[in-house]
Amino acid sequence: MASPNLDRYSKDHEVLRIMHECSPTTFRFFVNRMRDHLDDYNITLPSSRRITDETESQMEEREATLHDYMELLDNESLPPHVDTFYSVRFFQNLVLCAVWHNDFYNPALRSTILAAENHFMGKMKQKRKYNGASLANRKRARVENPSIGFTPEIVLDCLLSTLNEYHSSRYGPLLNDPDFNVKEFVVSNLAPELINMFGSGVPGDHQTLRRLGQDMSTSQPAIYMHILNEYRYIGQARDLSVRVHRQHESKLYRSQNPCLHYYVWKQLEAPVDFWILLAQVPILHFKADYRGLLLNIFEMLCALLFQTLPNDALDVYLDPTIARQSVTRGLNVGLPIHQGHTVEDSDVGTPIHYLRDSIDPLLRSYYENARQRQTNTCIKTRLHKTLQKFLEGVEITVKPGEYKDGRKRSWLNIRSVRIALTQRHLDGLGIDWGDTIIARCEVNPISAHERLYAADAVTGDAANRLAIICTSRAGQEIYIRSEGDNAAQRANALVDELEGVSREESLARGRRVF
């Protein structure tokens, strides 16, 4: 669809007007994505595009399309002036209503805009009440003259008290076990050199860091740090040797498990690259429930010591009397304390949106790449669902349109293939204009179809294996047939999509029109 004039989408609600004026790029993103989703859905809508004319299956498809849209944009961030008062999901619903009303016409949606506001504002109030201790509300007031030097014990005390306060359902049994002193256990198992390393602040020079152990050969559980120039990544391992040598240092493994750590590693040219052993954690004699929690606490402590977490997390879990590094080059985005998480918590997840406003262009570029991967995955999932329906059969209402020659036609759109249904087709099905039919694609795995759709497909064309069948409610069916090379090339593209071939590979094969 062509790029729209955004003015008409912003008039339905004050929030949309503010977003349009203050953040036109973000507003355009939401509007265009919403239009693309609804346009894909609209291939099965009646020509009048009135919601009152939808069949039951079309209504289900519309609801599925809008659900996919919500999943796609659920993690989109809003500018501060909007995000302060409105949730992303609420804003999406306003855009949804505005786009549907302007492009797909349904008068009832004007009242839906108000209903959406009331519903989602109510949900937001409930969420704030239930999750009152979100990261934003947990921030500690920082002192005016923080201390540069500190000890791991100070950081550990603050971490343990925060876990007891906000994560007691998960960590409480361990922290309050009368037979086990968590603080004593953690301090006694940190690398000895680590204890006195922070007297002058967080060490930054590589020579100081190299004094810590660099032997990664142990098969015991451990906490480690990876140094890549000025970047630092801290992780945990049940088997340190396997984690470092067989996973991290394997290019194949890194390519199959994309993350910020691996992205930065790949982008740096001839990096300073070495590993550090921060703690060996003898957890094998503990019961299973405690092992993962103890590793999480060790990793979280080390991430706080070297300040490799996002600032919002440091605001909550780092003692406010400790000075911050002027520039943070940490590659830990998700909170270690949530690894192996099984219980709902308001700040669980991998909040890559923290990287969006980073002063580091490398971290910002990772954010853009990660968002694009997420978008592509959602689009691919949605496309698969749409195509699967055409293999199973989609219910279509045959609505006529008047043309200059006086004859009536109704258009059936199946991705790249556009079919004109005429009176001849209706006679073959024994139906009248306004009746419903089932349109279905049939693709032979190898051999040519006896009733192929593209009459002029050439040898080697995937279109030779495609048939398009229309069936009436009474069970009468016809095979659609179209002539011309353009029809064959569009059918080639449709077969590729039905079989899961990527757009790039399909175009490389030639004789494809999308």
Side-chain angles (χ1 to χ4, degrees):
M1 300 177 78
S3 180
N5 178 358
L6 299 183
D7 293 343
R8 60 195 178 102
Y9 300 103
S10 61
K11 68 182 186 304
D12 287 320
H13 197 280
E14 181 68 11
V15 175
L16 300 182
R17 184 188 65 77
I18 294 174
M19 176 63 94
H20 180 212
E21 292 178 355
C22 301
S23 302
T25 301
T26 304
F27 185 72
R28 183 178 294 106
F29 171 81
F30 275 89
V31 169
N32 286 338
R33 185 56 50 79
M34 186 72 252
R35 295 175 87 244
D36 289 344
H37 276 61
L38 290 179
D39 193 46
D40 282 347
Y41 153 71
N42 191 52
I43 59 178
T44 62
L45 274 180
S47 57
S48 67
R49 294 187 175 186
R50 287 178 179 269
I51 196 171
T52 53
D53 292 328
E54 283 183 312
T55 64
E56 184 177 346
S57 64
Q58 287 166 346
M59 184 178 299
E60 291 177 356
E61 182 173 354
R62 173 170 58 84
E63 291 174 352
T65 297
L66 301 187
H67 176 73
D68 290 342
Y69 167 78
M70 292 304 174
E71 286 185 350
L72 180 67
L73 296 181
D74 194 30
N75 293 322
E76 274 302 315
S77 299
L78 298 181
H81 57 274
V82 175
D83 196 30
T84 302
F85 304 103
Y86 298 95
S87 70
V88 176
R89 186 171 285 272
F90 163 60
F91 177 73
Q92 292 169 11
N93 274 265
L94 293 182
V95 176
L96 183 159
C97 294
V99 173
W100 184 278
H101 170 73
N102 281 276
D103 290 356
F104 299 88
Y105 187 63
N106 174 23
L109 280 180
R110 279 200 177 277
S111 61
T112 304
I113 291 177
L114 181 59
E117 178 175 6
N118 293 335
H119 174 73
F120 283 93
M121 288 300 287
K123 287 289 186 182
M124 287 170 63
K125 290 178 182 178
Q126 293 177 14
K127 183 177 180 180
R128 287 193 184 117
K129 183 177 180 181
Y130 182 76
N131 289 330
S134 63
L135 273 181
N137 294 328
R138 295 176 183 175
K139 291 184 179 181
R140 302 174 184 273
R142 295 168 64 182
V143 300
E144 292 185 4
N145 298 304
S147 172
I148 296 177
F150 58 93
T151 64
E153 287 91 339
I154 295 176
V155 178
L156 181 59
D157 285 339
C158 182
L159 171 60
L160 296 181
S161 66
T162 307
L163 290 177
N164 246 331
E165 183 177 359
Y166 297 128
H167 306 279
S168 58
S169 61
R170 190 177 184 211
Y171 285 88
L174 169 64
L175 299 177
N176 300 304
D177 189 331
D179 299 322
F180 180 60
N181 188 316
V182 175
K183 179 179 178 180
E184 182 179 310
F185 177 78
V186 172
V187 173
S188 64
N189 285 286
L190 290 173
E193 297 84 353
L194 200 65
I195 301 297
N196 300 316
M197 182 172 281
F198 300 92
S200 301
V202 179
D205 64 287
H206 295 158
Q207 184 176 357
T208 300
L209 294 174
R210 285 180 186 274
R211 290 207 298 265
L212 294 167
Q214 294 183 249
D215 183 5
M216 300 289 119
S217 62
T218 179
S219 60
Q220 299 300 311
I223 307 300
Y224 58 89
M225 181 163 64
H226 190 196
I227 306 296
L228 293 165
N229 290 2
E230 70 272 28
Y231 297 96
R232 301 170 182 178
Y233 172 79
I234 288 173
Q236 62 173 261
R238 297 296 180 108
D239 183 322
L240 182 63
S241 178
V242 169
R243 182 63 174 147
V244 172
H245 298 308
R246 296 187 187 179
Q247 294 181 349
H248 285 320
E249 293 182 342
S250 166
K251 291 184 178 180
L252 176 61
Y253 181 87
R254 295 200 299 269
S255 67
Q256 294 173 342
N257 297 272
C259 63
L260 176 61
H261 175 202
Y262 296 158
Y263 179 82
V264 171
W265 194 351
K266 182 178 180 180
Q267 298 300 316
L268 295 176
E269 296 182 4
V272 174
D273 178 358
F274 61 95
W275 303 86
I276 292 173
L277 179 61
L278 301 177
Q280 293 195 55
V281 190
I283 58 172
L284 299 182
H285 63 282
F286 288 99
K287 61 181 182 179
D289 292 346
Y290 282 5
R291 295 174 189 172
L293 299 181
L294 285 169
L295 277 175
N296 290 353
I297 291 174
F298 270 92
E299 183 184 356
M300 187 74 175
L301 171 63
C302 292
L304 291 171
L305 290 173
F306 289 96
Q307 299 185 21
T308 63
L309 294 167
N311 284 328
D312 278 20
L314 295 177
D315 287 340
V316 176
Y317 296 97
L318 184 63
D319 190 294
T321 64
I322 296 175
R324 298 286 186 84
Q325 297 183 79
S326 57
V327 178
T328 300
R329 300 292 188 184
L331 301 181
N332 293 89
V333 182
L335 298 185
I337 55 173
H338 294 319
Q339 293 205 56
H341 191 272
T342 57
V343 182
E344 286 191 10
D345 194 293
S346 57
D347 61 358
V348 173
T350 304
I352 66 167
H353 63 269
Y354 288 128
L355 306 176
R356 182 189 57 186
D357 301 319
S358 172
I359 63 173
D360 189 331
L362 190 55
L363 302 190
R364 290 200 306 273
S365 68
Y366 171 77
Y367 170 82
E368 296 298 333
N369 277 273
R371 293 295 300 149
Q372 189 60 51
R373 283 200 310 272
Q374 183 184 28
T375 298
N376 292 341
T377 299
C378 291
I379 291 175
K380 187 175 180 180
T381 301
R382 176 176 53 82
L383 176 60
H384 173 75
K385 292 178 181 177
T386 301
L387 293 173
Q388 190 63 35
K389 289 182 179 180
F390 279 112
L391 291 172
E392 297 169 355
V394 175
E395 190 175 275
I396 306 293
T397 300
V398 184
K399 291 282 187 175
E402 296 287 349
Y403 289 83
K404 293 180 180 179
D405 58 8
R407 293 187 297 174
K408 294 179 178 180
R409 295 183 180 87
S410 181
W411 291 102
L412 168 61
N413 298 291
I414 307 177
R415 298 298 294 170
S416 55
V417 172
R418 195 162 188 250
I419 301 166
L421 297 177
T422 64
Q423 187 63 52
R424 175 174 60 85
H425 296 112
L426 270 62
D427 293 341
L429 290 166
I431 63 172
D432 295 320
W433 297 106
D435 290 345
T436 58
I437 62 173
I438 302 296
R440 178 172 58 87
C441 295
E442 193 173 272
V443 181
N444 283 352
I446 300 175
S447 61
H449 202 290
E450 294 180 354
R451 309 289 294 275
L452 77 165
Y453 160 74
D456 295 319
V458 300
T459 302
D461 274 354
N464 285 301
R465 300 185 283 115
L466 171 68
I468 298 177
I469 307 103
C470 291
T471 308
S472 69
R473 286 188 176 277
Q476 290 179 262
E477 67 177 27
I478 60 171
Y479 285 78
I480 304 297
R481 195 167 175 83
S482 182
E483 298 178 349
D485 190 61
N486 184 267
Q489 293 190 45
R490 290 183 178 277
N492 286 336
L494 176 59
V495 172
D496 284 351
E497 287 193 299
L498 290 170
E499 294 182 332
V501 178
S502 68
R503 178 68 62 90
E504 293 76 12
E505 183 180 348
S506 184
L507 289 171
R509 294 178 176 181
R511 288 185 54 76
R512 267 69 175 169
V513 174
F514 288 89

